[in-house]
């Protein structure tokens, strides 16, 4: 038999599994935060949940720092939005913090708290490892572990190149899926589902073939585009004065373990998603669309961005909704089924994803088969 076994259904709804994943997968991996250009100004910030840890990545006068997003006073969230521009100041009683997490301001300290420098130091926020690859930022909550370039292996150079190419943000947003985060990731790891799930959308856009490469749980799936979208993009590039990636010109898809997916269309548009667990059977999909840089280095006008947005928002939304429906249908059955599904050769990227996952959780979780 060529096919291999998938994960046991229990690992898609079991609370203990998620608990182990939070510390052994998410907190030990380098997790994608965002692009440097999204927090280039003083006080810009991005927040995200990494395992059990709320994290804020904040710009302090040009210096970027990843800190625990929980106030040391009475545990309020320091930054409550997903992105924004605001000093690192607690909204509850206005305690403020410096780039290394040290307390910088405590209202009424002298009369009501009496915190000296040592006491303030003890109340510093935990700081996490932050590293960049090109224009992309990654955080690791666990103190010890491989460097980002070791973690990414050959994907370091790929991400460095594409993140420096796709510099123009067009749109971003979130979706809520009623699925385990792994099931959500699995929807983007094969094109076997395209004929069944996306007959009117993705099937008209790319051919049902894929060439796969991998390093640990990180994988590539290169799929040739149909002729029509290639023609459309050639015209769009000319009209919008966009460059084309010199390395990627088909539908080039990358998955960076544990939860980052990046699709490039004809070397012109980047569609990026992360899948955050929000419970055993809930996840949040965060997406971004970014365009290739312009030939003349100029900024794309808002009118052009609006046109691209109008064109792709609908397409992106429809495809993601088609994926959500099938994933939620699988999820709904997990609890009533006691045997694992199987994966064909055409689904080998999912096997690499599972291998990396098993490697991380196995010492801490009895695996069902
Ligand atoms: S909880 Fe943050 S200042 Fe009180
Ligand atoms: Fe899909």
């Amino acid at each position: 038999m060529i096919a291999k076994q998938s994960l046991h259904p229990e690992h898609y709804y079991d609370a203990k599994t998620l608990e182990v994943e939070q510390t052994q997968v998410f907190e030990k991996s380098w997790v994608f935060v965002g692009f440097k250009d999204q927090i280039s100004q003083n006080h810009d910030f991005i927040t995200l949940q990494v395992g059990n840890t709320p994290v804020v990545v904040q710009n302090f006068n040009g210096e970027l720092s990843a800190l625990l997003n929980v106030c040391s006073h009475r545990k309020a969230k320091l930054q409550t939005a997903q992105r924004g521009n605001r000093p690192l100041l607690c909204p509850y009683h206005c305690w403020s913090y410096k780039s290394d997490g040290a307390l910088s301001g405590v209202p009424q300290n002298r009369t009501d708290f009496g915190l000296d420098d040592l006491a303030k130091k003890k109340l510093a926020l935990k700081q996490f490892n932050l590293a960049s690859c090109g224009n992309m930022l990654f955080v690791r909550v666990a103190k010890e572990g491989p460097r980002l370039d070791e973690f990414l292996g050959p994907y370091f150079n790929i991400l460095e190149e594409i993140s420096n190419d796709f510099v123009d943000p067009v749109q971003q947003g979130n979706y809520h899926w009623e699925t385990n985060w792994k099931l959500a990731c699995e929807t983007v790891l094969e094109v076997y589902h395209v004929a069944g799930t996306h007959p009117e959308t993705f099937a008209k856009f790319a051919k049902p073939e894929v060439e796969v490469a991998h390093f640990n749980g990180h994988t590539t799936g290169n799929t040739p585009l149909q002729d029509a979208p290639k023609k459309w993009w050639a015209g769009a590039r000319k009209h919008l004065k966009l460059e084309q990636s010199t390395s990627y010109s088909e539908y080039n898809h990358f998955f960076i373990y544990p939860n980052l997916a990046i699709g490039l269309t004809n070397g012109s548009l980047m569609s990026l998603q992360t899948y955050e667990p929000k419970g055993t059977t809930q996840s949040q999909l965060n997406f971004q669309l970014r365009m290739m840089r312009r030939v003349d280095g100029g900024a794309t006008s808002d009118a052009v961005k609006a046109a691209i947005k109008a064109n792709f928002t609908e397409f992106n939304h429809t495809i993601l909704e088609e994926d959500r429906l099938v994933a939620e249908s699988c999820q709904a059955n997990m609890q009533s089924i006691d045997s694992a599904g199987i994966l064909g050769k055409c689904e080998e990227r999912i096997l690499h994803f599972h291998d990396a996952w098993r490697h991380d959780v196995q010492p801490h979780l009895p695996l069902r088969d």
Side-chain angles (χ1 to χ4, degrees), residues 204-339:
K204 302 218 156 119
F205 164 85
K207 298 181 181 164
E209 304 158 22
V210 66
E211 180 199 281
V212 172
H214 86 107
F215 173 77
N216 297 337
H218 316 315
T219 55
T220 305
N222 290 323
T223 296
L225 286 170
Q226 303 280 9
D227 290 337
K230 276 192 172 174
K231 264 196 201 137
W232 190 91
W233 272 107
R237 275 194 302 274
K238 208 168 152 194
H239 186 68
L240 304 175
K241 298 196 178 69
L242 294 183
E243 279 188 32
Q244 184 179 28
S245 159
T246 50
S247 309
Y248 305 102
S249 59
E250 301 293 336
Y251 183 70
N252 304 96
H253 189 269
F254 307 98
F255 182 78
I256 304 300
Y257 180 82
N259 70 336
L260 168 65
I262 303 173
L264 305 181
T265 300
N266 202 215
S268 307
L269 184 77
M270 170 190 277
S271 153
L272 179 150
Q273 293 107 35
T274 58
Y275 299 87
E276 259 182 58
K278 289 287 175 194
T280 50
T281 60
Q282 288 84 32
S283 43
Q284 179 173 305
L285 184 161
N286 308 299
F287 75 90
Q288 298 194 31
L289 287 177
R290 295 171 76 91
M291 267 165 33
M292 184 65 180
R293 81 172 91 79
R294 276 168 55 110
V295 176
D296 54 12
T300 306
S301 75
D302 287 348
V304 168
K305 277 192 193 173
I308 292 275
K309 202 165 149 177
N311 223 310
F312 286 96
T313 303
E314 188 61 27
F315 188 69
N316 196 39
H317 175 77
T318 308
I319 290 184
L320 288 174
E321 281 298 284
E322 288 168 347
D323 285 324
R324 181 179 64 80
L325 286 178
V326 286
E328 289 184 351
S329 133
C330 299
Q331 183 68 55
N333 293 321
M334 291 297 185
Q335 249 142 308
S336 48
I337 301 293
D338 196 39
S339 61

Side-chain angles (χ1 to χ4, degrees), residues 40-43 59-64:
S40 59
Q41 304 298 316
N42 188 27
H43 301 322
N59 183 318
F60 295 85
N61 274 314
E63 186 192 341
L64 300 181

Side-chain angles (χ1 to χ4, degrees), residues 71-76 78 90-95 97:
C71 183
S72 302
H73 177 220
R74 280 166 53 195
K75 314 302 172 191
L78 292 167
C90 182
Y92 200 176
H93 314 93
C94 301
W95 284 26
Y97 298 87

Side-chain angles (χ1 to χ4, degrees), residues 16 39 64 73 84 99 135 158 177 192 221 258-259 317 341:
K16 174 74 183 156
I39 46 171
L64 300 181
H73 177 220
S99 63
N135 186 20
I158 296 172
W177 285 22
Y192 186 46
N259 70 336
H317 175 77

Side-chain angles (χ1 to χ4, degrees), residues 187-188 190 193-194 197-198 202 319-320 322-324 326:
T187 63
V188 297
E190 41 88 2
H193 74 290
V194 169
T197 309
H198 308 296
F202 200 86
I319 290 184
L320 288 174
E322 288 168 347
D323 285 324
R324 181 179 64 80
V326 286

